[in-house]
Amino acid sequence: MSQTWNQHVVKKENKALVLETIKEHYPISRASIAQVTGLNKGTVSSLVSELIDEKLIHESGTGKSSGGRRPVMLFLNESAGFTISIDLGVKSVLGVLTDLKGNIKQEKRVHFDDPSLEGVLMILYSLIDELHDKAPDSEYGIVGIGIGVPGVVTNDGEILLAPNLGWKKVALQQMLFEKYQVPITVENEANAGAYGEKVFGVGQKSNELVYASISIGIGVGLILDGKLYKGLRGFSGELGHMTIEKDGKHCRCGNQGCWELYASEQVLLDKAAQLGLEHQSIKELVSEADNGNEQVISLFEDLGDYIGVGITNIIHIFNPEQVVIGNSIIAASAYILPAIEKRIEKNTIGFNKDDVQFNAAKLKEHSTVMGIAAFNVEKFFQTSVHNIQLEVN
Amino acid sequence: MSQTWNQHVVKKENKALVLETIKEHYPISRASIAQVTGLNKGTVSSLVSELIDEKLIHESGTGKSSGGRRPVMLFLNESAGFTISIDLGVKSVLGVLTDLKGNIKQEKRVHFDDPSLEGVLMILYSLIDELHDKAPDSEYGIVGIGIGVPGVVTNDGEILLAPNLGWKKVALQQMLFEKYQVPITVENEANAGAYGEKVFGVGQKSNELVYASISIGIGVGLILDGKLYKGLRGFSGELGHMTIEKDGKHCRCGNQGCWELYASEQVLLDKAAQLGLEHQSIKELVSEADNGNEQVISLFEDLGDYIGVGITNIIHIFNPEQVVIGNSIIAASAYILPAIEKRIEKNTIGFNKDDVQFNAAKLKEHSTVMGIAAFNVEKFFQTSVHNIQLEVN
DNA sequence: TAAGTTTGTCTACCGAATAAACAAAGAATA
DNA sequence: TATTCTTTGTTTATTCGGTAGACAAACTTA
């Protein structure tokens, strides 16, 4: 059943609206907030004074007059709290400390060879502790810890399977909450990446955005109607296991002809090895291509073509405003993007093609970690406004 | 910018909530509504009396006592208005007159051979007029006219392309509004079918439902988060043109290896013709299979297998709660469903497979028309409550 | 210096939800 | 049958948040 509405809800929503307006437009005066939101000046004044009491915003100096009294400018108090946001990869962990605006205050990457749960947990804990210690003193302290994970994550933050780490059934969210007692987010890395590009990256103006994270495998994050879409249990976006060759190669997932068997970094590395370029990273292969190695350039083009087949499907399925490619593959953007675009141009239905933008991730290796930061910040502001509501009662 | 909240909005939302509760649970007393919604008894009484004044609901007799005063039962006034809802097919039009609960009061199917715009418009107009004339007298009269169309429809109800009718750029919504001056809905038939199954059919309990309309071509309607998902411009769900064979057959859409080139009714009919069974309808082929024609049974199984490939993709992409197969193909359910299920069972990833239900459309050839009826009714109740809100001001 | 403008606060008022009192109508029990 | 208890639905007083408009403060412009 839908919720009931009363004046408390009205106040909560309006307060969230004022806070949101300040977040988006600061520095901004009370008068401007009233104009932008449509709320009465008095209402804005009263809500603003509560937000100031709660240290979520602050006044700072006056703005320019436009023919009358000079406005008092309001600012988001972006240092009222900090988030610890982590991108757990297959070979390294990237951790950042951000403020409430998403500014990175500290950043650290730790490489590892042994992906065993015990070892990685040790690294995670010490990374979190280190970022925790480096956080400046603040009103609300660490407001959330979040991790993007290369695997299947349930809606309650349990990792069901992370194939490239060899993990199964790890209740990471619960473990972290018991240890740190702050709100925890555990999310699939592609979902987080999609949200990162939506909030901080190339998709800030798009409400319909599909983010394809292409690395060893392929995962896809869906922003539909401005929100992350997760499906019934959180397992949406398994487009890496979308069949693009009906009786194609057998995948370890049980399906045949999966997209990621033709269009992932792994394929590229395998094919390069066949050319005698063994144990090369994608960056080294890009150097090869830069040096004019036609065979490698051709590998990139083939890969781009296969990626384009999947992207074409995505455009047909979702009619998105934007398709974004992210993760390690973008190191080779210069070679694969033209091939992808060629395939899209040739194969996509005109109606769907006309409005879609195709881009590489703006945040590059920070897409996931910034998405996690966005989740953390969003959760904080939501519960923050909500709790104040409860105190009032 | 998000909307501002005040007491008028609160009242509107609560009134909608009360109406919705009556719609779902009638006959129901004021006291029960208060309990179900959490609203105060007095609030419910006041909102109910307004709804009675507006003839949207009515009292009718008393219910059983549970140890005290007998409750006055409230009913949705389902005859306060009627909808004209139409499914425009490639060879026939199905039109129904429904009340506000979705009960079919009149039904008529008109077959046609010439799909030219002029001819079909004539049929449409006379069908609408006939249903209009048969509508009983009521408070609100015809509250909406809607049409499901086998083609690409924009968010403003313009048909950009209906390949199997040979139509291009038909501003049908505008034309109908100018002629009838009531709210008009024009929607893709698969989208409408999805909504029909969601509201009246097999998907009433599912908020994440994918409906595959399989006929001459394939279209897909997406119910995500309980709502119809249409993408940026309304062109989502073109899964008929999802590549499942990378270098497969060329499609007239410009893409290659499209799902509908392997899994549609058209394919079945073509293959049957190669077996010497020319000019047979799908129902005749089912009879052949019933009579033990092994070749035809095998055709159905092959078709089911190909459909299953696409359904597997759908389950991986969306993690839906339910996948529903509809349109003319379900005449052959007995033969294709087992083959589809076999493919799903074999190829779908366990996490995604575990919770998904796979069904044939419950409403059969009425999925689309009932979806259109649901759109019509929903629009009426929305604008109804909203207008009353304006009058109060 | 005076008039006009913009900002932000304050006050009176309004409207909607709520709690509680109350009346109506029935059930249960002695 | 009379009394008490229950449930339903209405009415009344209260609370709370938003709004309009008055007002003072602070600035610009002429």
Side-chain angles (χ1 to χ4, degrees):
Chain A
M1 187 90 296
S2 163
Q3 87 173 104
T4 64
W5 300 83
N6 57 35
Q7 55 199 351
H8 300 294
V9 178
V10 168
K11 181 169 181 185
K12 194 186 93 184
E13 294 290 338
N14 282 336
K15 195 163 169 180
L17 177 61
V18 168
L19 182 56
E20 189 64 23
T21 307
I22 294 170
K23 221 172 126 189
E24 303 267 302
H25 297 91
Y26 77 94
I28 187 173
S29 67
R30 289 168 175 80
S32 299
I33 295 172
Q35 203 169 18
V36 169
T37 60
L39 290 167
N40 183 279
K41 286 194 297 174
T43 306
V44 171
S45 264
S46 130
L47 295 175
V48 159
S49 82
E50 288 188 25
L51 289 168
I52 290 176
D53 288 347
E54 293 150 16
K55 312 281 182 200
L56 293 175
I57 62 174
H58 59 83
E59 296 180 330
S60 183
T62 54
K64 277 191 182 164
S65 161
S66 59
R69 173 173 162 181
R70 284 158 63 186
V72 177
M73 300 318 264
L74 301 167
F75 290 73
L76 181 71
N77 187 5
E78 52 201 27
S79 300
F82 296 88
T83 84
I84 294 175
S85 304
I86 294 174
D87 177 8
L88 173 56
V90 177
K91 291 174 183 166
S92 71
V93 204
L94 172 65
V96 298
L97 179 78
T98 79
D99 65 18
L100 297 178
K101 183 70 181 170
N103 297 307
I104 296 178
K105 296 297 178 182
Q106 295 287 334
E107 174 162 356
K108 182 167 184 182
R109 186 181 286 276
V110 181
H111 295 265
F112 58 82
D113 294 319
D114 170 24
S116 73
L117 180 59
E118 298 70 29
V120 172
L121 276 183
M122 291 291 286
I123 293 171
L124 274 179
Y125 290 154
S126 76
L127 180 59
I128 292 172
D129 291 338
E130 186 180 334
L131 291 170
H132 208 301
D133 290 345
K134 284 183 177 164
D137 278 343
S138 62
E139 196 67 25
Y140 294 93
I142 299 297
V143 301
I145 300 175
I147 304 196
V149 174
V152 178
V153 182
T154 68
N155 286 328
D156 358 275
E158 182 182 0
I159 303 171
L160 289 184
L161 178 71
N164 294 316
L165 290 169
W167 293 8
K168 270 186 190 172
K169 293 208 120 200
V170 180
L172 189 59
Q173 181 168 330
Q174 194 188 333
M175 291 162 68
L176 288 171
F177 183 74
E178 280 166 10
K179 190 163 162 63
Y180 294 102
Q181 298 287 320
V182 297
I184 306 291
T185 303
V186 177
E187 188 53 84
N188 170 273
E189 60 86 19
N191 285 352
Y195 205 62
E197 289 295 327
K198 154 77 183 146
V199 176
F200 297 110
V202 75
Q204 292 178 45
K205 287 177 183 162
S206 300
N207 274 329
E208 320 298 334
L209 180 152
V210 179
Y211 171 89
S213 165
I214 304 181
S215 174
I216 301 299
I218 298 181
V220 170
L222 306 169
I223 305 294
L224 308 181
D225 209 11
K227 299 190 302 288
L228 179 66
Y229 182 74
K230 301 181 61 171
L232 180 65
R233 299 261 178 264
F235 313 150
S236 69
E238 286 291 350
L239 277 88
H241 302 286
M242 165 176 71
T243 296
I244 62 163
E245 292 273 22
K246 193 218 171 196
D247 293 310
K249 301 180 196 171
H250 286 266
C251 183
R252 62 179 170 183
C253 79
N255 198 6
Q256 278 179 267
C258 294
W259 188 27
E260 72 173 38
L261 299 180
Y262 304 89
S264 64
E265 186 184 333
Q266 189 64 55
V267 180
L268 184 79
L269 300 182
D270 290 350
K271 285 192 181 163
Q274 287 170 15
L275 295 178
L277 295 161
E278 288 162 0
H279 309 302
Q280 297 255 3
S281 72
I282 187 160
K283 288 190 180 171
E284 289 167 319
L285 291 174
V286 171
S287 299
E288 277 290 329
D290 288 343
N291 292 334
N293 185 328
E294 296 275 347
Q295 283 183 309
V296 173
I297 292 174
S298 162
L299 280 189
F300 279 130
E301 284 171 357
D302 288 352
L303 182 71
D305 190 48
Y306 266 109
I307 293 174
V309 172
I311 302 288
T312 298
N313 281 358
I314 286 171
I315 295 171
H316 287 164
I317 294 168
F318 294 102
N319 181 214
E321 188 169 0
Q322 230 179 95
V323 179
V324 180
I325 298 266
N327 211 335
S328 56
I329 204 74
I330 58 176
S333 289
Y335 296 97
I336 60 169
L337 291 191
I340 298 173
E341 277 165 1
K342 190 174 160 194
R343 170 61 74 162
I344 294 173
E345 190 58 36
K346 185 178 152 213
N347 285 42
T348 308
I349 299 174
F351 303 128
N352 290 52
K353 183 174 61 191
D354 289 342
D355 297 303
V356 75
Q357 295 167 48
F358 172 67
N359 292 106
K362 182 178 168 192
L363 305 176
K364 304 193 173 169
E365 68 274 21
H366 286 81
S367 301
T368 295
V369 88
M370 290 312 296
I372 295 291
F375 289 134
N376 277 327
V377 169
E378 196 173 78
K379 257 189 202 174
F380 168 68
F381 281 126
Q382 265 174 20
T383 56
S384 175
V385 173
H386 186 65
N387 285 340
I388 289 145
Q389 154 65 11
L390 291 179
E391 284 165 25
V392 166
N393 278 356
Chain B
M1 187 90 295
S2 165
Q3 88 174 105
T4 65
W5 300 83
N6 56 36
Q7 57 199 349
H8 301 293
V9 178
V10 168
K11 182 170 181 185
K12 196 185 92 185
E13 294 290 338
N14 282 336
K15 196 163 167 181
L17 177 60
V18 168
L19 182 57
E20 188 64 24
T21 306
I22 295 170
K23 222 172 125 189
E24 303 266 302
H25 297 91
Y26 77 94
I28 186 173
S29 68
R30 289 167 175 82
S32 299
I33 295 173
Q35 204 168 18
V36 169
T37 60
L39 289 168
N40 183 278
K41 285 194 299 175
T43 306
V44 171
S45 264
S46 131
L47 295 175
V48 159
S49 83
E50 286 187 26
L51 289 169
I52 290 175
D53 288 346
E54 292 150 16
K55 311 282 182 199
L56 292 175
I57 62 174
H58 60 83
E59 297 180 330
S60 183
T62 53
K64 278 191 181 164
S65 160
S66 58
R69 175 172 162 180
R70 283 159 62 186
V72 178
M73 299 319 260
L74 300 168
F75 290 73
L76 182 71
N77 187 5
E78 53 201 26
S79 300
F82 296 88
T83 85
I84 294 175
S85 303
I86 294 174
D87 177 8
L88 173 57
V90 177
K91 291 174 183 167
S92 72
V93 204
L94 173 65
V96 298
L97 179 79
T98 78
D99 65 18
L100 296 179
K101 183 69 181 173
N103 297 308
I104 295 178
K105 296 297 178 181
Q106 296 286 335
E107 174 162 356
K108 183 168 185 183
R109 187 180 286 276
V110 181
H111 293 265
F112 58 83
D113 295 320
D114 170 23
S116 74
L117 181 59
E118 298 70 28
V120 173
L121 276 183
M122 292 290 288
I123 293 172
L124 273 180
Y125 290 154
S126 76
L127 181 59
I128 292 171
D129 291 339
E130 186 179 334
L131 292 170
H132 208 302
D133 291 345
K134 285 185 177 163
D137 277 343
S138 62
E139 195 69 23
Y140 293 94
I142 299 296
V143 301
I145 300 175
I147 304 197
V149 175
V152 179
V153 182
T154 68
N155 286 329
D156 359 275
E158 182 182 0
I159 303 170
L160 289 184
L161 178 70
N164 294 317
L165 291 168
W167 293 8
K168 271 185 191 175
K169 292 209 121 200
V170 180
L172 190 58
Q173 181 168 328
Q174 195 189 332
M175 292 161 69
L176 289 171
F177 184 74
E178 279 166 12
K179 191 162 162 63
Y180 294 101
Q181 299 287 320
V182 297
I184 307 290
T185 304
V186 178
E187 189 52 84
N188 169 273
E189 59 88 19
N191 285 351
Y195 205 62
E197 290 295 328
K198 154 78 184 146
V199 177
F200 297 110
V202 74
Q204 292 178 47
K205 286 176 184 164
S206 299
N207 274 328
E208 320 297 334
L209 180 152
V210 179
Y211 172 88
S213 165
I214 303 181
S215 174
I216 302 297
I218 299 181
V220 170
L222 306 170
I223 306 294
L224 308 181
D225 209 11
K227 298 192 302 287
L228 180 66
Y229 183 74
K230 301 181 60 172
L232 181 65
R233 299 261 177 263
F235 312 150
S236 69
E238 286 292 349
L239 276 87
H241 302 285
M242 163 176 72
T243 297
I244 63 163
E245 291 273 22
K246 192 217 171 197
D247 292 310
K249 302 180 195 170
H250 285 267
C251 182
R252 60 179 170 184
C253 79
N255 198 6
Q256 278 180 267
C258 294
W259 187 26
E260 73 175 38
L261 299 179
Y262 303 90
S264 65
E265 187 184 333
Q266 190 64 53
V267 180
L268 184 78
L269 300 182
D270 290 350
K271 285 193 181 165
Q274 287 171 15
L275 294 178
L277 296 161
E278 287 162 0
H279 309 300
Q280 298 254 2
S281 73
I282 187 160
K283 287 190 181 170
E284 289 166 317
L285 290 174
V286 170
S287 300
E288 278 290 328
D290 288 344
N291 292 334
N293 185 328
E294 297 274 347
Q295 283 184 310
V296 173
I297 291 175
S298 163
L299 280 188
F300 279 129
E301 284 171 358
D302 288 353
L303 183 71
D305 190 47
Y306 265 108
I307 294 174
V309 172
I311 301 288
T312 298
N313 281 357
I314 286 172
I315 296 171
H316 287 164
I317 294 167
F318 294 102
N319 181 212
E321 186 169 0
Q322 229 178 97
V323 179
V324 180
I325 298 267
N327 211 335
S328 55
I329 204 73
I330 58 175
S333 290
Y335 296 97
I336 60 169
L337 290 191
I340 298 173
E341 278 165 0
K342 190 173 159 196
R343 168 63 74 161
I344 294 173
E345 191 58 37
K346 184 178 151 214
N347 286 44
T348 308
I349 299 174
F351 303 128
N352 290 50
K353 183 174 61 191
D354 290 343
D355 297 301
V356 75
Q357 298 167 46
F358 172 67
N359 292 105
K362 182 179 168 191
L363 305 176
K364 302 191 175 169
E365 68 274 20
H366 285 81
S367 301
T368 294
V369 89
M370 290 312 296
I372 295 290
F375 289 134
N376 277 326
V377 169
E378 197 173 78
K379 259 189 200 173
F380 168 68
F381 281 125
Q382 265 173 20
T383 57
S384 176
V385 173
H386 186 65
N387 286 339
I388 290 146
Q389 153 65 13
L390 291 179
E391 284 164 26
V392 165
N393 279 355

